[in-house]
Amino acid sequence: MSERNAYLIINAGSSSLKFCVFQGSGTEDLEVVFTGQMSGIGTQQAKFEAKDAHKHVLASTALDQSDRAALLGYLLDWIRSQLGGAKLVAAGHRVVHGGTRFAAPVRVTPQVMAELEAIVPLAPLHQPHNLAAIGALADVYPELPQVACFDTAFHQSQPWQSQVFAIPRELTQEGVRRYGFHGLSYEYIAHRLPQVAPELADARVLVCHLGSGASLCAMAAGRSVDTTMGFTALDGVPMGTRPGTIDPGVLIYLMRQKGYGADEIEKLLYHKSGMLGVSGISNDMRDLEGSEAPEAAEAVELFCHGVAKQGAALAASMGGLDAVVFTAGVGENSTLVRARVTEKLGWLGVRLDPAANRAKATRISAADSRIPVYVIPTDEEQMIARHTLRVLQAEQAAPVLAAAD
Ligand code: AMP
């Protein structure tokens, strides 16, 4: 591959599309050159914003198209106009669900697209938007190689007992099982942790991805052995607007006694619960920490309780605990949440250094803590960029290997 290749990384949602452009010649020198987003897709009020690596605004403009393909065409033209001597060689996409079929990133072909379409029922709120972006990009730039990177793939290494529900086998075989999410974030941490703390390369690590969506991963020797999200991204710890684990009997009650249908339950579970539902104030941890209202404090307490309780359960999945890592928006930024969660895990041998915690140090545990605690910023886009480059490199190497055979 020639030097100064550029890779477009896309994370597409229902009405917005976040992008990031990396440049580099190999997986170890990939650097962000632009980030940005298209918002208001499909609304006639589309907006395009882009910043350089130092967060200086390069573009902020309203667009009169609303069609996804037209907007992606605009984005590609803009990127190409900014690349200087570099060449756009591929696009990498975050795709929420790889089902049981995809345990690793894959080059998108018509056959792969058909298989990903078949998985849509497993993630109906997210997968269609991810696939629509791939389809639209293929329409405007058919020669550009595209790579799909899955949020579920990292968890495919889990043992059977972590992957199934205790339900009749035929349902499990149909795909009603635990998949887990935030896999690209966990994979990035698995790559980064041995650089930060080489002695933890083979350790049993509780990774707490605490953002507006939140989950925990039991990671042993860099592989996922268990995680708190399951069939969907609803399960596990409480989140900004999702309740996390909830007795399924509550849903039967709401259906039978209050006449809730699937749409109302979906709205309740995805948008009205979690920190927002409990506090009645906000889904944002910053607002809750800044509020005097007792309901805000209760919401934070419920969140920390859920993280500590389920974190301890994941320690059982690993047969012990050697380290804790906090990452994502809340995990990287909330001194209070890290302090409360680690306090609740104190009985396992976790002791925080309050000054290091306040200073946002990389290692925030006390010198005599049996279990070290780290804060490691996640970088899912970097992970997608590396995967995209690797998939292309493997394709280029494959004919050579075949010839050598
Ligand atoms: P993410 O989904 O990883 O982008 O995380 C977003 C969330 O991180 C926001 O909704 C906030 O709740 C939280 N967050 C960001 N900055 C802070 C902060 N300084 N203190 C507490 N929470 C924060």
Tab-separated table of all heavy atoms in Angstrom, residues 31 82 85 106 130 155 160 176 191 194 202-203 231 247 270 274 300 316 335 366 371:
chain	number	residue	atom	x	y	z
A	31	GLU	N	-3.301	8.280	12.168
A	31	GLU	CA	-3.576	9.530	12.893
A	31	GLU	C	-4.875	10.125	12.396
A	31	GLU	O	-5.136	10.120	11.194
A	31	GLU	CB	-2.493	10.558	12.584
A	31	GLU	CG	-1.213	10.323	13.294
A	31	GLU	CD	-0.192	11.377	12.894
A	31	GLU	OE1	-0.494	12.223	12.023
A	31	GLU	OE2	0.897	11.335	13.458
A	82	GLN	N	-9.809	17.928	0.814
A	82	GLN	CA	-8.984	18.310	1.970
A	82	GLN	C	-7.756	17.413	2.145
A	82	GLN	O	-6.955	17.626	3.040
A	82	GLN	CB	-9.812	18.195	3.272
A	82	GLN	CG	-11.070	19.018	3.299
A	82	GLN	CD	-10.777	20.494	3.470
A	82	GLN	OE1	-9.949	20.881	4.275
A	82	GLN	NE2	-11.452	21.314	2.686
A	85	GLY	N	-2.031	15.336	-0.600
A	85	GLY	CA	-1.474	14.262	-1.426
A	85	GLY	C	-1.986	12.878	-1.067
A	85	GLY	O	-1.691	11.909	-1.768
A	106	VAL	N	-15.101	-7.639	8.389
A	106	VAL	CA	-15.213	-8.304	7.092
A	106	VAL	C	-15.340	-7.255	5.979
A	106	VAL	O	-15.945	-6.198	6.179
A	106	VAL	CB	-16.413	-9.279	7.113
A	106	VAL	CG1	-17.735	-8.542	7.332
A	106	VAL	CG2	-16.507	-10.116	5.856
A	130	ASN	N	-26.823	1.588	10.002
A	130	ASN	CA	-25.448	1.213	9.670
A	130	ASN	C	-25.396	0.715	8.225
A	130	ASN	O	-24.529	1.106	7.445
A	130	ASN	CB	-24.927	0.092	10.582
A	130	ASN	CG	-25.025	0.394	12.069
A	130	ASN	OD1	-25.146	-0.512	12.879
A	130	ASN	ND2	-24.978	1.670	12.439
A	155	HIS	N	-17.009	-10.361	21.674
A	155	HIS	CA	-17.567	-11.249	22.703
A	155	HIS	C	-17.741	-12.687	22.233
A	155	HIS	O	-18.173	-13.538	23.007
A	155	HIS	CB	-18.901	-10.689	23.196
A	155	HIS	CG	-18.783	-9.318	23.790
A	155	HIS	ND1	-18.030	-9.068	24.921
A	155	HIS	CD2	-19.281	-8.123	23.401
A	155	HIS	CE1	-18.083	-7.771	25.199
A	155	HIS	NE2	-18.829	-7.186	24.298
A	160	TRP	N	-19.633	-20.914	26.508
A	160	TRP	CA	-21.055	-21.173	26.254
A	160	TRP	C	-21.955	-20.603	27.346
A	160	TRP	O	-22.973	-19.974	27.063
A	160	TRP	CB	-21.240	-22.692	26.123
A	160	TRP	CG	-22.661	-23.122	25.992
A	160	TRP	CD1	-23.385	-23.176	24.836
A	160	TRP	CD2	-23.535	-23.555	27.044
A	160	TRP	NE1	-24.659	-23.618	25.099
A	160	TRP	CE2	-24.779	-23.856	26.453
A	160	TRP	CE3	-23.393	-23.715	28.421
A	160	TRP	CZ2	-25.862	-24.307	27.192
A	160	TRP	CZ3	-24.474	-24.170	29.148
A	160	TRP	CH2	-25.689	-24.456	28.543
A	176	VAL	N	-31.690	-16.446	19.828
A	176	VAL	CA	-32.089	-15.709	21.034
A	176	VAL	C	-31.077	-16.068	22.125
A	176	VAL	O	-31.241	-17.020	22.884
A	176	VAL	CB	-33.527	-16.064	21.469
A	176	VAL	CG1	-33.924	-15.220	22.680
A	176	VAL	CG2	-34.500	-15.844	20.328
A	191	HIS	N	-6.090	-3.950	23.674
A	191	HIS	CA	-4.855	-3.621	22.970
A	191	HIS	C	-4.013	-2.625	23.781
A	191	HIS	O	-2.790	-2.711	23.844
A	191	HIS	CB	-5.254	-3.035	21.611
A	191	HIS	CG	-4.184	-2.269	20.924
A	191	HIS	ND1	-3.218	-2.877	20.154
A	191	HIS	CD2	-3.913	-0.944	20.892
A	191	HIS	CE1	-2.400	-1.952	19.691
A	191	HIS	NE2	-2.793	-0.780	20.118
A	194	PRO	N	-2.053	-3.586	27.923
A	194	PRO	CA	-0.683	-4.104	28.081
A	194	PRO	C	0.383	-3.053	27.794
A	194	PRO	O	1.515	-3.177	28.257
A	194	PRO	CB	-0.610	-5.241	27.046
A	194	PRO	CG	-2.016	-5.590	26.739
A	194	PRO	CD	-2.810	-4.332	26.909
A	202	ASP	N	-1.941	-10.787	30.934
A	202	ASP	CA	-2.676	-12.056	31.108
A	202	ASP	C	-3.671	-11.998	32.267
A	202	ASP	O	-4.167	-13.021	32.718
A	202	ASP	CB	-1.683	-13.205	31.366
A	202	ASP	CG	-0.828	-13.449	30.135
A	202	ASP	OD1	-1.380	-13.338	29.026
A	202	ASP	OD2	0.380	-13.712	30.296
A	203	ALA	N	-3.948	-10.778	32.747
A	203	ALA	CA	-4.741	-10.627	33.976
A	203	ALA	C	-6.244	-10.776	33.726
A	203	ALA	O	-6.720	-10.771	32.596
A	203	ALA	CB	-4.454	-9.259	34.587
A	231	PHE	N	-28.796	-9.880	24.694
A	231	PHE	CA	-29.436	-9.999	23.372
A	231	PHE	C	-29.513	-8.630	22.710
A	231	PHE	O	-29.367	-8.499	21.500
A	231	PHE	CB	-30.838	-10.587	23.588
A	231	PHE	CG	-31.635	-10.793	22.337
A	231	PHE	CD1	-31.221	-11.685	21.354
A	231	PHE	CD2	-32.834	-10.120	22.149
A	231	PHE	CE1	-31.973	-11.890	20.204
A	231	PHE	CE2	-33.591	-10.322	21.002
A	231	PHE	CZ	-33.159	-11.204	20.024
A	247	ASP	N	-36.490	-7.139	35.948
A	247	ASP	CA	-37.273	-8.365	36.041
A	247	ASP	C	-38.249	-8.401	34.854
A	247	ASP	O	-39.075	-7.482	34.704
A	247	ASP	CB	-38.039	-8.322	37.378
A	247	ASP	CG	-38.939	-9.531	37.575
A	247	ASP	OD1	-39.145	-10.298	36.623
A	247	ASP	OD2	-39.447	-9.670	38.708
A	270	TYR	N	-35.912	2.086	26.118
A	270	TYR	CA	-34.786	2.734	25.436
A	270	TYR	C	-34.664	4.224	25.762
A	270	TYR	O	-33.573	4.769	25.752
A	270	TYR	CB	-34.906	2.583	23.911
A	270	TYR	CG	-34.391	1.245	23.405
A	270	TYR	CD1	-35.265	0.199	23.153
A	270	TYR	CD2	-33.030	1.031	23.202
A	270	TYR	CE1	-34.798	-1.029	22.694
A	270	TYR	CE2	-32.552	-0.181	22.745
A	270	TYR	CZ	-33.438	-1.212	22.487
A	270	TYR	OH	-32.960	-2.417	22.045
A	274	GLY	N	-33.651	4.510	33.051
A	274	GLY	CA	-32.285	4.833	33.442
A	274	GLY	C	-32.204	6.088	34.306
A	274	GLY	O	-33.107	6.413	35.075
A	300	VAL	N	-27.624	8.631	40.682
A	300	VAL	CA	-26.181	8.344	40.650
A	300	VAL	C	-25.882	7.121	41.517
A	300	VAL	O	-25.112	6.230	41.134
A	300	VAL	CB	-25.361	9.572	41.125
A	300	VAL	CG1	-23.870	9.239	41.161
A	300	VAL	CG2	-25.616	10.776	40.221
A	316	ALA	N	-16.782	-13.181	39.365
A	316	ALA	CA	-17.059	-14.626	39.505
A	316	ALA	C	-16.897	-15.324	38.158
A	316	ALA	O	-16.391	-16.448	38.083
A	316	ALA	CB	-18.473	-14.836	40.052
A	335	THR	N	-15.152	11.738	38.450
A	335	THR	CA	-14.400	11.406	39.671
A	335	THR	C	-15.333	10.743	40.678
A	335	THR	O	-14.968	9.780	41.344
A	335	THR	CB	-13.823	12.721	40.269
A	335	THR	OG1	-13.108	13.389	39.246
A	335	THR	CG2	-12.904	12.457	41.439
A	366	ALA	N	-4.633	3.320	45.123
A	366	ALA	CA	-3.608	3.592	46.133
A	366	ALA	C	-2.447	2.615	45.925
A	366	ALA	O	-2.642	1.525	45.370
A	366	ALA	CB	-4.201	3.410	47.529
A	371	ILE	N	-5.765	-4.523	44.144
A	371	ILE	CA	-6.213	-4.497	42.752
A	371	ILE	C	-5.984	-3.104	42.171
A	371	ILE	O	-6.557	-2.126	42.655
A	371	ILE	CB	-7.705	-4.889	42.687
A	371	ILE	CG1	-7.815	-6.359	43.099
A	371	ILE	CG2	-8.289	-4.641	41.301
A	371	ILE	CD1	-9.187	-6.873	43.202
